[in-house]
Amino acid sequence: MNREVTLPLIVDDRGTLQVAAADVSKLLRRLGGRWVRLVEEGDQGLDEDTVAALAIELAKLADRIDVACIAHSSGS
């Protein structure tokens, strides 16, 4: 499953970010965390290994968004 995803930053003509990246990365982490909690609470409809893998990938994606935005903000 190691497919690379390109994350375009949405900026205006002045280079200002148009998406609150912190909100997006927070949402991704919360979504993964919620799935993990559902498994921990015994939700029988969710496969523990699949949920764990998805939560990890969402956290990695959130990290990449954060890094890209930090780089953008610092002018790198």
Side-chain angles (χ1 to χ4, degrees):
M1 178 201 262
N2 289 327
R3 292 186 183 159
E4 197 66 24
V5 175
T6 301
L7 298 172
L9 298 177
I10 301 170
V11 296
D12 63 18
D13 57 351
R14 295 177 309 233
T16 304
L17 289 171
Q18 297 299 303
V19 176
D23 291 341
V24 174
S25 59
K26 183 174 161 182
L27 173 68
L28 293 171
R29 289 186 178 94
R30 281 188 173 181
L31 180 60
R34 176 69 178 135
W35 288 342
V36 168
R37 280 189 299 283
L38 287 171
V39 168
E40 290 171 348
E41 293 168 1
D43 188 321
Q44 299 300 315
L46 299 173
D47 177 72
E48 184 175 353
D49 292 336
T50 301
V51 166
L54 288 171
I56 288 168
E57 292 305 315
L58 287 176
K60 287 180 185 178
L61 181 57
D63 290 345
R64 289 183 56 212
I65 291 169
D66 290 344
V67 168
C69 289
I70 290 167
H72 174 77
S73 296
S74 66
S76 299

